[in-house]
Amino acid sequence: MSQAEAETQDPRIDALHRRMAEHSLGGHWQPRRRNPSPKLVPHLWPWSIVYECLMESGEVIKLGRIDEPAKRRTVNLVNPAITDFKSTSRTLQMSVQLVKPGEMAECHRHTAAALRFVVEGEGAGYTNVEGERMIMEPGDLVLTPHWTWHDHKNPGEKNLVWLDVLDVHLINHLDANIHENYSDSEISDNYFDGAAQTVVHEDGYCRRRFGVLRPASAHVDSRFLPYTYKWRDTLAALEAMAAAGESDPYDGILLDYTNPLTGGPTMPTIGCRAQLLAPGESTKAHRHMSSTIYHVVEGAGVTNVGSEKSGGADLAWGTRDCFFVPSQAWHSFTNISKSERAILFSVSDRPVLESLGLYREEQA
Ligand code: GTQ
């Protein structure tokens, strides 16, 4: 007998529980869950291991056609507390993707929004988003928002490696996950074999069309903007803020990647940030109602994470490691180097909590 139908001391109550269960009913006084959902745990994925597995997958997993399971060659980061499916957090999935020289990952679109943060690339490979080649150089951020067509191509001579982040778990919870392959769509009939989109825009189109200086006629559903942020701009903004001493006591030098049309979050479901910790800097602790996945762009440090204001577990990170800080967990950062800065890229579900009026933050 399941926990929900556990025997009580009263045969009349037991009879009621059995009768209700037969008719798909339950009493509020009965245990709510048969298997309580586990509390997510802070975790660090060392880049050395992630990268080794990704490179090995490059040897043994052949990149498939769009209707095959290996249509993308990605290694998923999995929260150790989630055992029944692969998920980094309750809302977001971070994975690492490899496209080898000469390979192409075929075109599709889905209601889940995705982004790519480039780790390795020589400037030849790109994601084609809605007909524009978004060139992928290290540190670049490429958005493929909700329902935008995307395929990836590496015409270069070196591997192309990036972090994928999707809001797919949130979208699944909402029963809103739909998916379409370009090869099955009417528009693809015009093109050679439906595997990739034709390039119809010049490079840099999205920033020219939707950036801060834009044609007065530009209009699009502004929340779902295909867009790309070049690392040289992100780094210049971080360095300018550092020079001006514009530091946040909880996160150091902190930048938001905003939607240039709305001024709002990166995408409606995923917020991206970059932060710089000065040599030797230690931040104060805070906690907030949103969970965050970090990727270390450069440097080495420690993030202390726990359910109390201090004394949590230390996640010790180095360049390219990824780590997870659960919602409502206290956390603070230390750059352990006395001479080198540290830079973190992060993604969170904060825009969702904010749009529902649920976001809150507490400072130590
Ligand atoms: O590259 O289009 O990690 O569709 C998961 C789903 C990557 C992609 C993922 C995807 C993609």
Side-chain angles (χ1 to χ4, degrees):
M1 181 176 289
S2 73
Q3 196 191 352
E5 291 140 42
E7 295 280 342
T8 69
Q9 298 302 317
D10 186 329
R12 289 181 311 161
I13 296 178
D14 293 340
L16 172 63
H17 288 171
R18 277 193 298 275
R19 178 155 166 71
M20 287 199 296
E22 276 166 25
H23 295 281
S24 301
L25 298 169
H28 187 84
W29 57 89
Q30 291 180 277
R32 185 130 52 116
R33 289 177 180 278
R34 298 188 176 170
N35 302 306
S37 40
K39 199 166 150 32
L40 297 194
V41 292
H43 191 73
L44 182 135
W45 294 266
W47 183 255
S48 56
I49 307 279
V50 174
Y51 191 71
E52 256 177 47
C53 293
L54 186 68
M55 290 304 118
E56 203 170 318
S57 78
E59 301 295 320
V60 300
I61 303 293
K62 185 177 174 305
L63 191 57
R65 301 297 308 262
I66 195 66
D67 49 1
E68 293 172 347
K71 60 179 175 277
R72 299 295 189 252
R73 189 191 291 111
T74 63
V75 170
N76 308 136
L77 307 188
V78 181
N79 194 290
I82 302 177
T83 51
D84 50 348
F85 64 110
K86 293 178 292 174
S87 180
T88 322
S89 81
R90 297 235 187 272
T91 48
L92 302 183
Q93 178 62 50
M94 182 182 276
S95 308
V96 187
Q97 181 160 172
L98 167 64
V99 182
K100 297 197 291 184
E103 286 184 336
M104 185 181 73
E106 296 184 7
C107 187
H108 69 174
R109 64 178 176 180
H110 30 73
T111 49
L115 62 84
R116 335 274 158 196
F117 185 82
V118 183
V119 180
E120 274 182 23
E122 51 180 330
Y126 59 87
T127 294
N128 183 334
V129 190
E130 294 281 316
E132 176 183 346
R133 298 187 319 155
M134 308 272 193
I135 302 292
M136 297 170 105
E137 296 176 283
D140 291 352
L141 173 64
V142 174
L143 307 185
T144 53
H146 167 80
W147 211 238
T148 48
W149 293 112
H150 54 280
D151 49 81
H152 315 294
K153 189 162 185 181
N154 183 2
E157 282 164 12
K158 295 193 178 137
N159 283 340
L160 189 51
V161 173
W162 66 78
L163 304 174
D164 280 312
V165 180
L166 285 93
D167 60 6
V168 58
H169 304 301
L170 174 69
I171 300 307
N172 283 337
H173 278 299
L174 297 173
D175 280 338
N177 197 348
I178 57 175
H179 176 279
E180 185 180 14
N181 291 336
Y182 193 68
S183 48
D184 297 333
S185 74
E186 283 174 21
I187 31 176
S188 77
D189 292 348
N190 302 331
Y191 306 128
F192 60 107
D193 64 356
Q197 298 167 82
T198 303
V199 177
V200 294
H201 298 303
E202 78 280 10
D203 291 357
Y205 169 81
C206 71
R207 282 177 296 134
R208 180 179 70 70
R209 188 103 188 122
F210 307 119
V212 285
L213 283 170
R214 56 183 168 259
S217 61
H219 56 88
V220 64
D221 186 335
S222 56
R223 291 169 309 160
F224 306 120
L225 200 61
Y227 206 70
T228 182
Y229 306 78
K230 298 303 286 181
W231 181 247
R232 56 176 175 268
D233 297 331
T234 310
L235 188 58
L238 285 171
E239 287 174 346
M241 282 176 74
E246 291 174 35
S247 191
D248 174 279
Y250 306 93
D251 284 298
I253 307 291
L254 185 61
L255 269 188
D256 264 330
Y257 289 83
T258 64
N259 174 314
L261 284 184
T262 66
T266 325
M267 293 193 283
T269 49
I270 312 176
C272 299
R273 286 182 155 173
Q275 76 194 80
L276 183 154
L277 301 164
E281 179 172 3
S282 264
T283 67
K284 292 186 186 172
H286 71 164
R287 62 173 181 165
H288 38 73
M289 195 79 92
S290 60
S291 57
T292 313
I293 314 168
Y294 294 88
H295 168 73
V296 184
V297 179
E298 60 177 70
V302 171
T303 299
N304 187 272
V305 193
S307 52
E308 306 298 327
K309 285 186 188 175
S310 60
D314 278 341
L315 298 176
W317 40 262
T319 299
R320 297 189 172 176
D321 291 346
C322 298
F323 63 96
F324 174 68
V325 175
S327 180
Q328 304 180 56
W330 290 97
H331 56 283
S332 60
F333 301 93
T334 301
N335 176 351
I336 57 169
S337 169
K338 297 283 176 253
S339 56
E340 307 293 329
R341 67 188 182 195
I343 299 180
L344 305 176
F345 170 77
S346 68
V347 294
S348 83
D349 53 10
R350 192 166 48 102
V352 179
L353 284 298
E354 281 178 336
S355 68
L356 298 175
L358 295 171
Y359 184 76
R360 51 166 87 191
E361 188 169 343
E362 194 182 346
Q363 300 169 341

